[in-house]
Amino acid sequence: MSFLNKVLAIVGKDVVAELRTKEMFSSMLVFALLVIVIFSFSFELRVENVAQVAPGILWVTFVFASTLELNRSLAMEMENGCLDGLFLAPMDRSAIYFGKMLGNLIFISAIEALMLPIFSVLFDLNLILPSLLLTIFLGTIGFAAVGTLLSAIAVNTRAREVMLPVLLFPIILPVVISATKVTGGILDGVPLADWAHWLRFLVAFDIIFLAVSYMTFDFVVQG
Amino acid sequence: MIQVQGLVKSFGHTYALRDVDLEVTQGQFLTIVGPNGAGKTTLLRILATLLKPTSGLVRIDGLDVASRSAEIRRRIGFVSHQSLTYSKLTVEENLVFYGRIYDVPAVKERVDTLLTLVGLEARRHDAARTLSRGMQQRLSIARAMIHQPSLLLLDEPYTGLDQQAAEMLRQLLQTITAESCTVVMTTHNLQRALELCHTVAILAKGRIVHEAENTSLTLDDFQQAYWHYVGDRWPR
């Protein structure tokens, strides 16, 4: 219970700080919107069936926008040395990891929730489907899990804004591919049996990424 | 309370601390003085469990800092160069947050007590970023005291403070030390060093080169000792 309280304290602190300024939320929103609009107009000119490329565009948008949040997540802890403040607390450092990861998950999910209706309109697709929402949630867990860990590595480097995508994109490729395949299956109305293995992949990668991040976070951040 | 024997800390080929021995008893106020780069911050960060020693023994309340760090963290409060507070959160929110991650019971009451102690009750709803440097330092001390630590580590707390803020901080530290809290403070201000401490030590080039009781020590005597060990006459 104490562990959970500490995780929730970290999440709550991040949410309050963001709600106060909305700096990152508005940046992510505008960025995601721009990506969707640019893709929408560029594919409209060349691709006959936009629905075929929609899953890819959707996930590229989410991944790009999420990178902004992941970059900021640990960077805000560097201001005034707050990361030291967290490390000084008598708690397992995995509480810091889960707190930051859940915060990232909340912010990214909020942006995705706002983007889906806009995406639906621009691409003339119904994306508000329970199975698709579950897939998006699973995919988001995957890159929030590994992205939080990698942002802890990148935050101590001089070129952290560049370093995070360089580290993150190759590693989250399995999550993006699985999520895109499942999304395509759902939007095309293909029977579950044909894409269920991609869904299993997605769940498996989520579990692996969460477990590995949990086990290595202390090692990554220790001085 | 604190037992340090043969402490060595190196960063690659650079040695920050070399064979440091130190003993601090319960309720003692130790001030460590030394020039920039002497290793003061490194020593405090090791005591605070933020850095691991390269070799040597460091114990706080008999607990080894390398293997029992979580238990030690319950007993220490650390005031760093930086405030370790969130600029977007209010003064009160910062303290409540730290109270929660330290499992402080009745955290609201504790926050009220601390805000009164450090004189920030009137600013409790203001964002931490709006505070002056002196106020931020007092908030930082309140943060470090939130869990009632038995050992307070202060890393150059007077840095960047004007005379008035420094005097307020001195009075605050006097109140805190009266509560039999053990304090280790670093500074390079020799006058400030002697104000409250029981013992003063000089750290130079990673070594404790001089240690003295502050019973009959005058500022002149201490300045002479300091320049003897730290100044140009000190062998390079």
Side-chain angles (χ1 to χ4, degrees), chain B residues 7-11 14-18 42 46 51-54:
Chain B
L7 172 63
V8 175
K9 179 65 187 177
S10 64
F11 299 96
T14 307
Y15 281 81
L17 295 171
R18 303 158 188 256
T42 304
I46 289 172
L51 281 177
K52 288 185 175 170
T54 304

Side-chain angles (χ1 to χ4, degrees), chain A residues 130-147:
Chain A
S131 54
L132 187 59
L133 296 180
L134 176 67
T135 305
I136 291 170
F137 184 65
L138 289 172
T140 309
I141 289 176
F143 53 76
V146 74

Side-chain angles (χ1 to χ4, degrees), chain B residues 13-46:
Chain B
H13 296 296
T14 307
Y15 281 81
L17 295 171
R18 303 158 188 256
D19 202 22
V20 170
D21 293 328
L22 203 64
E23 192 117 1
V24 183
T25 55
Q26 180 72 45
Q28 190 181 351
F29 191 132
L30 168 72
T31 301
I32 300 170
V33 294
N36 293 334
K40 301 186 296 294
T41 298
T42 304
L43 177 58
L44 280 204
R45 287 180 72 83
I46 289 172

Side-chain angles (χ1 to χ4, degrees), chain A residues 58-70:
Chain A
L58 189 69
W59 283 101
V60 165
T61 307
F62 289 164
V63 169
F64 282 1
S66 305
T67 311
L68 295 182
E69 162 59 21
L70 293 168

Side-chain angles (χ1 to χ4, degrees), chain A residues 2 5-6 9-10 13 16-17 20 23 77 79-82 84-90 93 222, chain B residues 45 48 50 52 70 73-74 78 82-90 93 97-98 100-103:
Chain A
S2 167
N5 278 339
K6 289 166 184 178
I10 294 169
K13 178 262 297 173
V16 168
R20 195 145 289 155
E23 280 169 6
E77 300 294 343
E79 190 189 355
N80 296 337
C82 291
D84 279 349
L86 294 179
F87 291 162
L88 282 164
R93 286 184 178 172
Q222 71 180 299
Chain B
R45 287 180 72 83
L50 288 171
K52 288 185 175 170
R73 282 184 213 129
R74 289 191 185 283
F78 182 52
Q82 296 172 291
S83 66
L84 316 192
T85 55
Y86 294 90
S87 56
K88 290 175 191 169
L89 300 187
T90 65
E93 284 167 347
F97 168 68
Y98 277 104
R100 286 185 70 189
I101 63 173
Y102 275 91
D103 284 326

Side-chain angles (χ1 to χ4, degrees), chain A residues 28-202:
Chain A
M28 281 171 74
L29 192 65
V30 170
F31 183 78
L33 200 60
L34 284 173
V35 173
I36 289 180
V37 169
I38 289 167
F39 271 128
S40 165
F41 284 117
S42 53
F43 281 116
E44 201 177 354
L45 297 173
R46 301 284 301 171
V47 180
E48 283 183 19
N49 186 1
V50 177
Q52 282 186 328
V53 292
I57 298 169
L58 189 69
W59 283 101
V60 165
T61 307
F62 289 164
V63 169
F64 282 1
S66 305
T67 311
L68 295 182
E69 162 59 21
L70 293 168
N71 247 328
R72 179 212 64 116
S73 172
L74 263 289
M76 74 173 279
E77 300 294 343
M78 300 303 280
E79 190 189 355
N80 296 337
C82 291
L83 201 54
D84 279 349
L86 294 179
F87 291 162
L88 282 164
M91 61 181 175
D92 194 308
R93 286 184 178 172
S94 58
I96 302 172
Y97 168 74
F98 282 114
K100 300 305 292 183
M101 198 280 281
L102 282 175
N104 288 332
L105 190 62
I106 289 168
F107 292 127
I108 297 168
S109 298
I111 290 295
E112 289 169 345
L114 287 171
M115 282 297 107
L116 279 178
I118 298 167
F119 197 95
S120 293
V121 171
L122 285 172
F123 288 82
D124 195 22
L125 289 166
N126 179 18
L127 298 174
I128 316 299
L129 304 166
S131 54
L132 187 59
L133 296 180
L134 176 67
T135 305
I136 291 170
F137 184 65
L138 289 172
T140 309
I141 289 176
F143 53 76
V146 74
T148 304
L149 177 75
L150 295 177
S151 68
I153 297 172
V155 80
N156 286 314
T157 62
R158 257 180 260 175
R160 63 177 174 232
E161 283 82 7
V162 180
M163 191 57 72
L164 181 63
V166 170
L167 293 171
L168 180 66
F169 291 166
I171 294 174
I172 59 159
L173 211 54
V175 168
V176 176
I177 292 171
S178 309
T180 307
K181 290 285 186 187
V182 174
T183 305
I186 293 168
L187 292 180
D188 293 345
V190 176
L192 172 66
D194 290 350
W195 48 265
H197 60 287
W198 288 110
L199 190 60
R200 283 195 291 272
F201 267 136
L202 186 56

Side-chain angles (χ1 to χ4, degrees), chain B residues 1-2 22-33 141 150-155 157-158 169-187 191-201 211-215:
Chain B
M1 180 84 199
I2 301 175
L22 203 64
E23 192 117 1
V24 183
T25 55
Q26 180 72 45
Q28 190 181 351
F29 191 132
L30 168 72
T31 301
I32 300 170
V33 294
I141 288 172
S150 53
L151 170 63
L152 193 58
L153 304 170
L154 305 164
D155 191 10
Y158 292 102
L169 181 62
R170 190 195 66 77
Q171 286 173 13
L172 177 60
L173 291 178
Q174 198 166 23
T175 310
I176 291 166
T177 49
E179 294 170 3
S180 79
C181 184
T182 308
V183 180
V184 178
M185 181 178 85
T186 66
T187 181
Q191 191 178 348
R192 292 284 176 205
L194 294 181
E195 277 175 351
L196 298 168
C197 72
H198 303 122
T199 312
V200 63
E211 201 170 342
E213 297 292 318
N214 185 22
T215 44

